[in-house]
Amino acid sequence: MSKSPQAFRSISEAADEVGVPQHVLRFWEGKLDVIQPVKRAGGRRFYRPEDIQLLKDIRRLLHDEGMTIKGVERLYKEKKARTPRAQSDVASEAVVSARPLDDAARSRLAHVLVQIEAAQARLTSVLSR
C-alpha cells in the first residue's frame, strides 16, 4: 500500500524520494535554514510534500547545476529577502480590508455571475454532445 501524495514522509522515505542518503538530508538541514521538517517526540523528522519538493530543488541545484551549499544558502536568502510579506500577512490583510459591498458593486458582481453561468451552460452543452 502506498502513501497519499499529501502524507508526511519519514527521513528514510524522504531520502529515497529525493535520491540522497539520510545523512545528506540531515547535513543540508544543518546548513540551510530553509529546510524545516516537522520534528516529533524523540527528534524524529517528518517531511511535508512541500519539504520534499524543496529538497528535490536543492538536490537539483547542488548535483545538476553544480552550485555549492553556500550558493544555495545565498540563493534562498535572496529569495526570502525579495518576498515582501508572508502569505499569512497578505491573507490577514484581505480579511481586515473586506468591507460591505455597495449597490453598484453588487450589481456588477450579479452581472458577472450571470455571464459565468451562461458560459458554464454553453460548456456543458458542448461537452454533452
Side-chain angles (χ1 to χ4, degrees):
M1 182 166 95
S2 65
K3 283 188 172 183
S4 158
Q6 297 304 315
F8 283 35
R9 304 283 191 261
S10 68
I11 192 166
S12 62
E13 293 168 325
D16 289 343
E17 196 167 331
V18 174
V20 297
Q22 294 176 34
H23 71 271
V24 171
L25 295 183
R26 288 192 283 283
F27 174 76
W28 289 352
E29 184 183 336
K31 294 289 185 181
L32 301 168
D33 293 338
V34 69
I35 302 172
Q36 297 179 344
V38 174
K39 288 191 181 175
R40 298 283 163 90
R44 291 196 52 179
R45 293 164 173 83
F46 288 94
Y47 295 86
R48 299 169 291 253
E50 55 270 19
D51 296 327
I52 300 293
Q53 185 57 52
L54 174 66
L55 293 169
K56 287 179 179 180
D57 292 342
I58 290 169
R59 182 188 184 284
R60 181 183 51 78
L61 292 169
L62 293 170
H63 293 225
D64 300 341
E65 297 187 22
M67 291 184 76
T68 63
I69 289 283
K70 289 275 188 198
V72 171
E73 183 179 32
R74 191 176 310 118
L75 179 74
Y76 280 100
K77 280 184 181 178
E78 288 172 3
K79 185 177 180 180
K80 187 176 179 180
R82 284 194 310 257
T83 305
R85 290 181 280 179
Q87 290 296 332
S88 60
D89 293 344
V90 173
S92 62
E93 182 179 300
V95 170
V96 169
S97 67
R99 58 185 181 280
L101 297 174
D102 61 13
D103 289 339
R106 285 182 196 275
S107 175
R108 287 191 302 273
L109 285 174
H111 180 70
V112 168
L113 180 60
V114 168
Q115 289 176 327
I116 290 171
E117 289 171 341
Q120 181 183 20
R122 288 193 303 271
L123 282 171
T124 301
S125 170
V126 168
L127 293 174
S128 65
R129 289 184 190 171

